[in-house]
Amino acid sequence: MFQFLMRRSLAALATIWVISIVSFVIIQLPPGDFLTTYMANLREMGERVPEEQIAAMRERYGLGEPMFVQYYKWMRGIIQDGDFGRSMEWGVPVSMLLWDRIGLTVMVGLSSILFVWVVAIPVGVYSATHQYSILDYLFTFIGFLGLAIPNFLLALVLMWIGWSVFGQNVGGLYSPEYSNAPWSIGKFIDLLSHLWIPMLIVGTSWTAGLIRTMRANMLDEINQPYVETARAKGLTEWRLVWKYPVRVALNPFISTVGYALPQIVGGVLITAVVLNLPTIGPLLLRALLSQDMFMAGAIVMILSILTVIGTLISDILLAVFDPRIRLE
Amino acid sequence: MSDVLLEVNDLHVSFFLTEGIVRAVSGVSFQIERGKTLGIVGESGCGKSVTARAILNMVRPPGRIVSGEINYYGQSDTPIDLAKLDPHGAEIRRIRWGEISMIFQEPMTSLSPVHTIGNQMIEAIRLHMDMSKQDAAAHAVGLLARVGLAQPERLLTRYRHELSGGMRQRVMIAMALSCNPKLLIADEPTTAVDVTTQAQILNLMRDLQQEFGMAIIFITHALGVIAEVADHVVVMYLGEEAEVADVDTIYYKAAHPYTQALLRSIPRHDIKLDRLETIEGNVPDPMNMPDGCKFHPRCRHYDPGKCANPALLQIGEQHWSRCARAHEINPQLSRTEQPS
Amino acid sequence: MANVEQRGQKANSELSPILDADILEPEKEKIAVATPRQLMWWKFRKHRVAVFSGILLIIFYTIALFADFISPYDPNAFDAKHKFVPPMYVSFINEDGNFTLRPGVHGLILHKNPETLRITYEKDKSVWYPVHFFVRERPYKLLGFIETDIHLFGLGEEAGSDKIFVLGSDRLGRDMLSRIFYGARISLSIGLVSVFLSLTLGIVLGGISGYYGGWTDNIIQRVIEFIRSVPGLPLWMALSAALPSDWSQIRRYFGITIILSMIGWTELGRQVRGRFLALRTEDFVLSARLSGARDLRIILRHMVPSFTSHIIASLTLSVPGIILTETGLSFLGLGLRQPVVSWGVLLQEAQNIRTVALAPWLLLPGLAVVLTVLAFNFLGDGLRDAADPFSR
């Protein structure tokens, strides 16, 4: 088990390292270095920047030096001070803008995963144990539909319904009176009352996919001899299904969640843009459209790292649940 | 109490598929006495496993017991018709494993991959016997030791993939005996293990039968194995009995071409042959059964004038054959035994 | 296969048992000589939804191919007088209240609310425009080389500046129907082109990985694992945003296509590799190698044909992801841009919830996306089941 943990953690670290390189490449993609653009922006707004400050920033980010020196300085800044560079558009360090929004992004993502699990597992089990029943066909159809509707379209339709039927804007994560208020119980409850809409939207498409996975896994297991043994033992149908095939079918399911995580992050991102949530999504879109590359690079990097960590956790969970993997 | 433990009368089991109806078992009858062993022999797809599952009322949709009785004389002389019980009801669940237990062909997959041996054994014991967890564990250890497994205590915490094929089948046998069943159904218990293990398992089962006194229904496709264990034999072909008799009669006075063909395909040390015989042709498509005698496309004695629709004929005191020409193909049968 | 069985059964019931055996023999031979492709087709045909989806996709692609013929208007033609016209009801009852075989539409009366400046339209019962077929307007090149000016339908010259908007118009008075038809060209082709690129990448890299094994396999597998373990969307967003903004439309199209194909190839690569690994030990590959065939020949002549059906199924199943991603990127303004018309670009018009509330028909391109993706998924499912003709 310890070996397994070490191996997986090392692999995750290696992935994170590659991610940092990719993110750095993204920052470097647009022509010209960011400082020149930054200065031009400031000058346009009629601000003057002292020469020493420019020189200090030039030194800090290693501009004009070879690529690997720039990369090294950028990485050192992140690891030592949590400094992801400066946002050109906002004129402040990227890290100042990010942390709050990352928390909410993780929250929307996690609640979506929770929603997906709570719905997909029982529905998948039902579909498999009642194969070719009317409800099974219905779930399968809804599943296909969920896979076919893009997140943002679902978000648009829900917003449209909310707007035209209930006359209110279902976007955002807080009611107006709480949006700038400090954290309190009231604000938290308000957050929860808004959270279910993005949760539903992001969840739906993945629930659909995972119901199909769970159903297929269950169908693989449900006719296995060990289920027959359990039935021959005199267990009730309910107990034997949940104790044996569900338990085994959950294992590939957990690993699918690892694979689904990158897509869930994407779903949260695009849904957040439509619903105008104060998460990382709209920030990334804005940064990309205005070529605010330090910001964009930092967001891509943080999202990727979060995903890798999430996948690592699901791998570890899988090992805890499945004795076969633990012993590999 | 009579000697009969279980009596199957005219059992019909069908599978209702979109492509059509498969009559997996069509009109099978047999009975088994307490403490005795009944062998059911046949090729794959002949309905022997379906019959076994029908006894526990475990035929799964789209399959269903269409008609027939399965009378179980467990406690008294008044039988319980297992075929009529609700397959999810409390009555049949009490009988499963508590009175009639079962072991399967694949010891590998008959055990759960993600639960320990102990978990699965204790579950079965506590379901049918009023025992605490500790007592059940002790009982399980005793059984594991009895089936010849070393270090039974440690075995309780093991998973199936940590055991060898023979060990797994021994675990299954120990588990099947854990609630002192009156009947043990063994569905090809030795098919998936190697030959030496096979002999050990057969010996073990014979010893355990002496000790526990349960009856055994032994299902196999190998007539050679039957000779070692069974008292009575039912030879099945395409969902029907081809021949029913005690084991000696089957071996020395077989009166159905199918049984005879099966016997010729067993290797024997007393007769030297260049090559073993095989049965010509394949098992017919279950959707498209032959008319008349079901064996006729593969039968060397087929005579269209005589073999129209053979019934199960009694040709000896305890001997039945579904062959219209039983007497012609087996001259050993004395003419006097023919029913008038 | 079912057909043959049924025929067999029929023969069974009609003829005597003896004859029957003789009759059945040739039937059995017929089963034996059926090629894998035939078996696949038989099995696929039984999957009704998949067949229906296939037909639907053929219709969609035909529409895309002949978009300029069947679209009544230029998709980018502005019309200040017809902003946000709701979808019109094409009626077979003419102005006199009689049934007619020639459908038509009523004219529109424009109302402007003086306070909110909101424009509403009212049906002008007194004006009736019958629909004309094969009208001559706007010259174009059909299929790129046939010069013509015939269009499937329109209101003809008698309507003057009035128009027919079967699916309504957008904020600039552009005809939604024409825009969806033209958008199909980009949205449907980008899926196919990307999948073709993914396939090339997947077969080459997956094939190398699976055929040679060893350290090449190791490196390629790590790359695949990496791509699959990071969230794609932010990455594709960043890459799309980095495409120079002064690129021409066609360059941008291919730029986006290449970025999209980077999504699909990993899954295909994994599958190809798996097949190669399984096939590498098969006897027919070994014997080909022993008889001195070159690697490339073994791969192309012996291995690839044995899993083409699986690959076709996987390809079909990976088109939807690409179409969805293109739609998403374009919707966000990072993919294709005006004046290129794709379904994603069209949906960008529906970003503002107030606009959607005013003109919900702007969401119709979304319906086209959903239908296409559904059809591809069903078709792919049917093909995948059929690709394994001996499975249940």
PDB file of all heavy atoms in Angstrom, chain C residues 124-137:
ATOM      1  N   ASP C 124     -50.064  40.351 -40.741  1.00  0.00           N
ATOM      2  CA  ASP C 124     -50.898  41.174 -41.601  1.00  0.00           C
ATOM      3  C   ASP C 124     -51.791  40.261 -42.427  1.00  0.00           C
ATOM      4  O   ASP C 124     -51.383  39.719 -43.443  1.00  0.00           O
ATOM      5  CB  ASP C 124     -50.012  42.021 -42.510  1.00  0.00           C
ATOM      6  CG  ASP C 124     -50.828  43.011 -43.341  1.00  0.00           C
ATOM      7  OD1 ASP C 124     -52.070  42.908 -43.322  1.00  0.00           O
ATOM      8  OD2 ASP C 124     -50.211  43.881 -43.978  1.00  0.00           O
ATOM      9  N   LYS C 125     -53.042  40.113 -41.947  1.00  0.00           N
ATOM     10  CA  LYS C 125     -53.939  39.131 -42.566  1.00  0.00           C
ATOM     11  C   LYS C 125     -54.243  39.481 -44.022  1.00  0.00           C
ATOM     12  O   LYS C 125     -54.661  38.635 -44.801  1.00  0.00           O
ATOM     13  CB  LYS C 125     -55.255  39.060 -41.785  1.00  0.00           C
ATOM     14  CG  LYS C 125     -55.070  38.575 -40.365  1.00  0.00           C
ATOM     15  CD  LYS C 125     -55.436  37.112 -40.243  1.00  0.00           C
ATOM     16  CE  LYS C 125     -55.367  36.700 -38.785  1.00  0.00           C
ATOM     17  NZ  LYS C 125     -55.343  35.258 -38.629  1.00  0.00           N
ATOM     18  N   SER C 126     -54.075  40.739 -44.368  1.00  0.00           N
ATOM     19  CA  SER C 126     -54.491  41.160 -45.710  1.00  0.00           C
ATOM     20  C   SER C 126     -53.434  40.828 -46.761  1.00  0.00           C
ATOM     21  O   SER C 126     -53.735  40.804 -47.940  1.00  0.00           O
ATOM     22  CB  SER C 126     -54.769  42.662 -45.709  1.00  0.00           C
ATOM     23  OG  SER C 126     -53.553  43.358 -45.458  1.00  0.00           O
ATOM     24  N   VAL C 127     -52.233  40.572 -46.315  1.00  0.00           N
ATOM     25  CA  VAL C 127     -51.182  40.299 -47.294  1.00  0.00           C
ATOM     26  C   VAL C 127     -50.840  38.825 -47.284  1.00  0.00           C
ATOM     27  O   VAL C 127     -50.600  38.234 -46.226  1.00  0.00           O
ATOM     28  CB  VAL C 127     -49.917  41.126 -46.974  1.00  0.00           C
ATOM     29  CG1 VAL C 127     -48.889  40.931 -48.072  1.00  0.00           C
ATOM     30  CG2 VAL C 127     -50.264  42.591 -46.833  1.00  0.00           C
ATOM     31  N   TRP C 128     -50.788  38.199 -48.435  1.00  0.00           N
ATOM     32  CA  TRP C 128     -50.493  36.769 -48.538  1.00  0.00           C
ATOM     33  C   TRP C 128     -49.416  36.554 -49.580  1.00  0.00           C
ATOM     34  O   TRP C 128     -49.539  36.970 -50.720  1.00  0.00           O
ATOM     35  CB  TRP C 128     -51.761  36.007 -48.932  1.00  0.00           C
ATOM     36  CG  TRP C 128     -51.525  34.563 -49.241  1.00  0.00           C
ATOM     37  CD1 TRP C 128     -51.434  34.003 -50.486  1.00  0.00           C
ATOM     38  CD2 TRP C 128     -51.347  33.515 -48.311  1.00  0.00           C
ATOM     39  NE1 TRP C 128     -51.202  32.667 -50.388  1.00  0.00           N
ATOM     40  CE2 TRP C 128     -51.154  32.331 -49.057  1.00  0.00           C
ATOM     41  CE3 TRP C 128     -51.340  33.455 -46.906  1.00  0.00           C
ATOM     42  CZ2 TRP C 128     -50.943  31.106 -48.459  1.00  0.00           C
ATOM     43  CZ3 TRP C 128     -51.128  32.230 -46.320  1.00  0.00           C
ATOM     44  CH2 TRP C 128     -50.932  31.071 -47.083  1.00  0.00           C
ATOM     45  N   TYR C 129     -48.328  35.933 -49.179  1.00  0.00           N
ATOM     46  CA  TYR C 129     -47.272  35.620 -50.137  1.00  0.00           C
ATOM     47  C   TYR C 129     -47.160  34.124 -50.297  1.00  0.00           C
ATOM     48  O   TYR C 129     -46.756  33.428 -49.358  1.00  0.00           O
ATOM     49  CB  TYR C 129     -45.919  36.138 -49.642  1.00  0.00           C
ATOM     50  CG  TYR C 129     -45.864  37.634 -49.459  1.00  0.00           C
ATOM     51  CD1 TYR C 129     -45.586  38.185 -48.216  1.00  0.00           C
ATOM     52  CD2 TYR C 129     -46.075  38.501 -50.545  1.00  0.00           C
ATOM     53  CE1 TYR C 129     -45.514  39.550 -48.034  1.00  0.00           C
ATOM     54  CE2 TYR C 129     -46.010  39.865 -50.369  1.00  0.00           C
ATOM     55  CZ  TYR C 129     -45.733  40.388 -49.113  1.00  0.00           C
ATOM     56  OH  TYR C 129     -45.672  41.740 -48.932  1.00  0.00           O
ATOM     57  N   PRO C 130     -47.502  33.595 -51.459  1.00  0.00           N
ATOM     58  CA  PRO C 130     -47.278  32.169 -51.653  1.00  0.00           C
ATOM     59  C   PRO C 130     -45.773  31.895 -51.800  1.00  0.00           C
ATOM     60  O   PRO C 130     -45.033  32.754 -52.279  1.00  0.00           O
ATOM     61  CB  PRO C 130     -48.015  31.857 -52.953  1.00  0.00           C
ATOM     62  CG  PRO C 130     -48.149  33.152 -53.643  1.00  0.00           C
ATOM     63  CD  PRO C 130     -48.091  34.238 -52.626  1.00  0.00           C
ATOM     64  N   VAL C 131     -45.378  30.705 -51.355  1.00  0.00           N
ATOM     65  CA  VAL C 131     -43.972  30.324 -51.474  1.00  0.00           C
ATOM     66  C   VAL C 131     -43.709  29.866 -52.903  1.00  0.00           C
ATOM     67  O   VAL C 131     -44.473  29.091 -53.465  1.00  0.00           O
ATOM     68  CB  VAL C 131     -43.633  29.195 -50.485  1.00  0.00           C
ATOM     69  CG1 VAL C 131     -42.233  28.665 -50.743  1.00  0.00           C
ATOM     70  CG2 VAL C 131     -43.765  29.671 -49.059  1.00  0.00           C
ATOM     71  N   HIS C 132     -42.644  30.379 -53.513  1.00  0.00           N
ATOM     72  CA  HIS C 132     -42.264  29.934 -54.856  1.00  0.00           C
ATOM     73  C   HIS C 132     -41.111  28.956 -54.750  1.00  0.00           C
ATOM     74  O   HIS C 132     -40.231  29.112 -53.911  1.00  0.00           O
ATOM     75  CB  HIS C 132     -41.843  31.129 -55.713  1.00  0.00           C
ATOM     76  CG  HIS C 132     -42.977  32.033 -56.033  1.00  0.00           C
ATOM     77  ND1 HIS C 132     -43.777  31.873 -57.122  1.00  0.00           N
ATOM     78  CD2 HIS C 132     -43.468  33.110 -55.358  1.00  0.00           C
ATOM     79  CE1 HIS C 132     -44.706  32.814 -57.136  1.00  0.00           C
ATOM     80  NE2 HIS C 132     -44.549  33.572 -56.060  1.00  0.00           N
ATOM     81  N   PHE C 133     -41.139  27.956 -55.605  1.00  0.00           N
ATOM     82  CA  PHE C 133     -40.041  26.995 -55.595  1.00  0.00           C
ATOM     83  C   PHE C 133     -39.135  27.226 -56.786  1.00  0.00           C
ATOM     84  O   PHE C 133     -39.568  27.718 -57.823  1.00  0.00           O
ATOM     85  CB  PHE C 133     -40.596  25.575 -55.600  1.00  0.00           C
ATOM     86  CG  PHE C 133     -41.288  25.235 -54.314  1.00  0.00           C
ATOM     87  CD1 PHE C 133     -42.658  25.364 -54.186  1.00  0.00           C
ATOM     88  CD2 PHE C 133     -40.555  24.852 -53.203  1.00  0.00           C
ATOM     89  CE1 PHE C 133     -43.299  25.084 -52.997  1.00  0.00           C
ATOM     90  CE2 PHE C 133     -41.184  24.574 -52.009  1.00  0.00           C
ATOM     91  CZ  PHE C 133     -42.562  24.684 -51.905  1.00  0.00           C
ATOM     92  N   PHE C 134     -37.875  26.862 -56.615  1.00  0.00           N
ATOM     93  CA  PHE C 134     -36.848  27.019 -57.659  1.00  0.00           C
ATOM     94  C   PHE C 134     -36.811  28.452 -58.185  1.00  0.00           C
ATOM     95  O   PHE C 134     -36.900  28.702 -59.370  1.00  0.00           O
ATOM     96  CB  PHE C 134     -37.078  26.004 -58.794  1.00  0.00           C
ATOM     97  CG  PHE C 134     -37.097  24.601 -58.284  1.00  0.00           C
ATOM     98  CD1 PHE C 134     -38.265  23.862 -58.230  1.00  0.00           C
ATOM     99  CD2 PHE C 134     -35.922  24.032 -57.806  1.00  0.00           C
ATOM    100  CE1 PHE C 134     -38.269  22.580 -57.717  1.00  0.00           C
ATOM    101  CE2 PHE C 134     -35.921  22.745 -57.306  1.00  0.00           C
ATOM    102  CZ  PHE C 134     -37.102  22.015 -57.254  1.00  0.00           C
ATOM    103  N   VAL C 135     -36.741  29.405 -57.250  1.00  0.00           N
ATOM    104  CA  VAL C 135     -36.671  30.807 -57.637  1.00  0.00           C
ATOM    105  C   VAL C 135     -35.248  31.151 -58.074  1.00  0.00           C
ATOM    106  O   VAL C 135     -34.275  30.544 -57.636  1.00  0.00           O
ATOM    107  CB  VAL C 135     -37.078  31.734 -56.476  1.00  0.00           C
ATOM    108  CG1 VAL C 135     -38.551  31.608 -56.201  1.00  0.00           C
ATOM    109  CG2 VAL C 135     -36.252  31.431 -55.242  1.00  0.00           C
ATOM    110  N   ARG C 136     -35.144  32.144 -58.948  1.00  0.00           N
ATOM    111  CA  ARG C 136     -33.835  32.575 -59.440  1.00  0.00           C
ATOM    112  C   ARG C 136     -33.416  33.853 -58.717  1.00  0.00           C
ATOM    113  O   ARG C 136     -34.046  34.890 -58.866  1.00  0.00           O
ATOM    114  CB  ARG C 136     -33.900  32.811 -60.941  1.00  0.00           C
ATOM    115  CG  ARG C 136     -34.076  31.540 -61.732  1.00  0.00           C
ATOM    116  CD  ARG C 136     -34.138  31.797 -63.207  1.00  0.00           C
ATOM    117  NE  ARG C 136     -34.092  30.523 -63.925  1.00  0.00           N
ATOM    118  CZ  ARG C 136     -32.952  29.944 -64.289  1.00  0.00           C
ATOM    119  NH1 ARG C 136     -31.797  30.526 -64.032  1.00  0.00           N
ATOM    120  NH2 ARG C 136     -32.976  28.786 -64.924  1.00  0.00           N
ATOM    121  N   GLU C 137     -32.404  33.769 -57.893  1.00  0.00           N
ATOM    122  CA  GLU C 137     -31.793  34.927 -57.240  1.00  0.00           C
ATOM    123  C   GLU C 137     -30.324  34.615 -57.033  1.00  0.00           C
ATOM    124  O   GLU C 137     -29.874  33.544 -57.362  1.00  0.00           O
ATOM    125  CB  GLU C 137     -32.383  35.222 -55.851  1.00  0.00           C
ATOM    126  CG  GLU C 137     -33.819  34.914 -55.684  1.00  0.00           C
ATOM    127  CD  GLU C 137     -34.378  35.177 -54.313  1.00  0.00           C
ATOM    128  OE1 GLU C 137     -33.803  34.680 -53.339  1.00  0.00           O
ATOM    129  OE2 GLU C 137     -35.401  35.875 -54.253  1.00  0.00           O
TER     130      GLU C 137
END
